[in-house]
Amino acid sequence: MEKKNIDWANLGFGYVPTDKRFVANYKDGKWDEGALSSDATVAISECAGVLQYSQSCFEGMKAYTTEDGHIVTFRPDLNGERMENSCKRLEMPVFPKEKFVDAIVKTIEANAAWVPPYGSGATLYIRPFMFATGPVIGVKPADEYQFRVFATPVGPYFKGGVKPLTLCVSDFDRAAPHGTGHIKAGLNYAMSLHAIVTAHAEGFDENMYLDAATRTKVEETGGANFLFVTKDNKVVTPKSNTILPSITRRSLLTVAKDYLGLEVEERTVYFDEVKDFAECGLCGTAAVISPVGKIVDHGKEICFPSGMKDMGPVITKLRDTLTGIQMGRVEAPKGWLKVIK
C-alpha cells in the first residue's frame, strides 16, 4: 500500500481531513448499522441538542505503524468503555463497546494510507465523538444522535522534542464534586478554555487544577492526568471521582509496576506534598507523558529536582517503555494492541 505524499517529519498537530470517516445515527430508539462516508461535513437542525444544551462526548486515540510494519491502535476497548460511561452520565444512548471498536477498525482500515510510517514521529489521531442531533427547546435529552469517527495525521504534540513544562495553580475550577469531571464531555473542555488562554497569556504552559471543594488536593490539568515520582522512585497518581480516568495513565502504572518493578500508588495527593516529589509528569493520548519542571503557586515556585532541561529518569523510562509497546519495539501485555493490518 502506497502512503500519502506528506512531509511526515514536519507534520503539525492539527486537523487534516482524510478519505473516510464512520457515521452512525440513532433514531426511533435504535442505532442504524452505520457506514463509512467521504463527506466531512455535518448538517443538523439549528435547534439540535448539541447546540442548545451541549449534549456531546468524545474520545481520543491513535493508530501507529509498528517496527515490523503492522498498523495497530492502542487499547480501543477502554476508550469504548469510557464513552459508554460518558453517554450514560449525559443521558445519551450508549454506542456499544463492540460496535465502537469495529467502527475504529473500519476507519483506520479506510485511511491506512494516512497512517505515518514507522520512525517518522507522526501518528494517525482517531477522534470518535457523539452529539445530539434531535431538536430540543425545553431542557431535556434529545431523541436523535449521531456517532462519528474521523482520523487525521498528526506530528509530535511538542515540536522540537519534549521539554519540561511550567504550570500555574489555577484560580478556576475544572470540575465540581459529583459533576462531570470523570467523563469525557465536551462541556468540560469548553470550561477550561478561558483558564488555559489566561495561563498562556501569563507565560505558563498549563494549569494545575485543585479540587473545587477544598482547594487542597491535586486534580489534573485541562487535558491530562498528573503522575508524580517520589524521591525513592515510587510512582504516585492522584485519585478522585472528579478526575478523568486516563487510559494512558492506567497504562503507565502497569508499565511502572510490571515492566520497571516500581511501587505504584493511586491516592489522594495534597498540594502541600507536591514540593516533596522528585519528578512530575502530565499524561494523555496526545503527548503520552510530558515532564513538568516547575509549578508556580501565585508567585511561589515549586521546582522539581529533575529540572527544566530534561525529563527525570523515571519519567524517561516510563515514556520510552510505553512508546516502545505502542510501536512494537517492546512486547505488549495481552490485549493492549489491536492489529488493524
Side-chain angles (χ1 to χ4, degrees):
M1 177 200 57
E2 188 176 347
K3 295 290 185 182
K4 295 291 182 178
N5 185 21
I6 293 174
D7 183 3
W8 303 107
N10 293 303
L11 194 60
F13 199 92
Y15 173 67
V16 177
T18 55
D19 298 330
K20 298 288 184 179
R21 64 274 310 136
F22 182 88
V23 183
N25 291 287
Y26 181 88
K27 189 175 182 179
D28 299 327
K30 63 181 182 297
W31 286 103
D32 64 20
E33 288 301 309
L36 292 169
S37 170
S38 58
D39 189 357
T41 61
V42 176
I44 54 176
S45 165
E46 63 184 352
C47 200
V50 64
L51 301 178
Q52 302 308 316
Y53 303 119
S54 299
Q55 254 192 306
S56 70
C57 60
F58 69 100
E59 283 295 322
M61 52 210 301
K62 290 179 177 179
Y64 314 85
T65 301
T66 60
E67 191 172 32
D68 59 3
H70 289 294
I71 294 175
V72 303
T73 190
F74 186 69
R75 309 190 79 178
D77 55 318
L78 295 189
N79 291 93
E81 286 178 7
R82 193 165 64 182
M83 180 167 265
E84 285 185 349
N85 291 332
S86 295
C87 290
K88 291 172 183 176
R89 180 64 177 81
L90 295 172
E91 291 297 330
M92 300 169 73
V94 166
F95 195 78
K97 178 178 68 174
E98 296 75 17
K99 287 189 173 184
F100 176 98
V101 173
D102 184 58
I104 298 302
V105 170
K106 287 178 177 174
T107 304
I108 297 171
E109 285 177 337
N111 295 292
W114 295 87
V115 180
Y118 175 79
S120 65
T123 55
L124 187 69
Y125 191 86
I126 314 297
R127 173 50 59 86
F129 61 113
M130 188 192 301
F131 53 95
T133 55
V136 288
I137 199 66
V139 181
K140 63 179 182 179
D143 56 9
E144 295 180 9
Y145 297 83
Q146 188 168 103
F147 169 80
R148 296 176 73 97
V149 183
F150 70 77
T152 183
V154 296
Y157 196 72
F158 295 105
K159 278 289 187 185
V162 181
K163 304 293 183 185
L165 307 175
T166 300
L167 276 54
C168 64
V169 176
S170 182
D171 289 325
F172 300 100
D173 294 327
R174 191 194 72 87
H178 314 295
T180 57
H182 63 296
I183 64 170
K184 207 165 176 67
L187 57 91
N188 292 343
Y189 294 79
M191 287 174 61
S192 75
L193 295 178
H194 178 64
I196 191 60
V197 168
T198 301
H200 287 168
E202 294 174 355
F204 300 104
D205 297 302
E206 252 292 4
N207 288 291
M208 169 182 272
Y209 290 106
L210 304 180
D211 72 294
T214 70
R215 298 194 62 78
T216 62
K217 304 166 190 173
V218 175
E219 294 253 297
E220 59 174 274
T221 68
N225 282 188
F226 277 101
L227 186 148
F228 298 98
V229 181
T230 66
K231 290 174 182 174
D232 59 355
N233 290 343
K234 180 191 292 184
V235 177
V236 178
T237 187
K239 183 177 183 179
S240 166
N241 59 11
T242 55
I243 292 175
L244 186 73
S246 164
I247 294 161
T248 304
R249 184 204 70 206
R250 285 180 273 171
S251 301
L252 285 167
L253 291 180
T254 298
V255 166
K257 183 180 178 183
D258 296 347
Y259 284 73
L260 303 182
L262 302 175
E263 186 178 352
V264 302
E265 189 174 20
E266 189 176 2
R267 61 169 174 82
T268 298
V269 175
Y270 288 93
F271 179 68
D272 285 350
E273 62 181 303
V274 169
K275 65 183 184 303
D276 299 321
F277 289 115
E279 299 176 47
C280 173
L282 305 180
C283 50
T285 299
V288 183
I289 185 166
S290 304
V292 175
K294 184 193 303 182
I295 297 173
V296 181
D297 178 21
H298 300 86
K300 189 160 79 174
E301 295 186 350
I302 298 172
C303 299
F304 294 99
S306 49
M308 290 300 297
K309 289 186 177 180
D310 302 302
M311 279 194 188
V314 173
I315 286 179
T316 298
K317 289 177 184 176
L318 287 169
R319 179 185 174 84
D320 288 349
T321 306
L322 186 58
T323 55
I325 289 170
Q326 292 170 334
M327 295 295 177
R329 297 188 299 268
V330 176
E331 186 175 356
K334 185 178 179 181
W336 276 29
L337 293 184
K338 177 76 172 175
V339 178
I340 310 297
K341 284 193 173 187

